[in-house]
Amino acid sequence: LQEMPGALAFAKAAEGYLGDPGFMAVSPDGHTVVLGAGFSGMLYRFDARNPVDYGPGQVVAVIPHYAGVMLTEDLLLVDKATDDWTTSELAIADLAAASPAVANA
């Protein structure tokens, strides 16, 4: 975490989140963060006010992706890879669902 804009140092907030860095999206509440792990498709959620090291509970969905942005507290717009990896498409993932559903946008 960076203490203030322009600060030269960063403090480690948490560790153990594996993957090919894809994106970090902050929800409208200003503290819930979704980390995208790119090619692995792992989507992790944590609270920036109380970050914790990786645990299985932080995985909210597995969707191979390139980028993402939070639309609401639970809806994530993701630029996801197609099944054959030849291109990408926009999809909306409902992260509140027991098994996150993805709908093409």
Side-chain angles (χ1 to χ4, degrees):
L1 298 175
Q2 187 178 28
E3 289 187 24
M4 64 181 157
L8 299 177
F10 292 86
K12 184 185 291 187
E15 60 187 358
Y17 294 86
L18 301 176
D20 176 23
F23 68 89
M24 180 175 89
V26 180
S27 75
D29 69 13
H31 61 87
T32 302
V33 179
V34 173
L35 297 175
F39 183 76
S40 74
M42 301 296 269
L43 293 169
Y44 306 109
R45 184 182 348 210
F46 71 91
D47 188 335
R49 294 182 303 188
N50 185 29
V52 297
D53 290 344
Y54 169 77
Q58 275 74 43
V59 176
V60 291
V62 178
I63 305 167
H65 58 271
Y66 301 102
V69 62
M70 296 299 295
L71 300 174
T72 68
E73 301 302 318
D74 295 311
L75 296 180
L76 174 71
L77 176 65
V78 63
D79 179 13
K80 72 179 266 317
T82 56
D83 292 339
D84 62 3
W85 290 91
T86 59
T87 188
S88 65
E89 59 191 6
L90 293 178
I92 297 173
D94 181 355
L95 302 179
S99 179
V102 177
N104 290 338

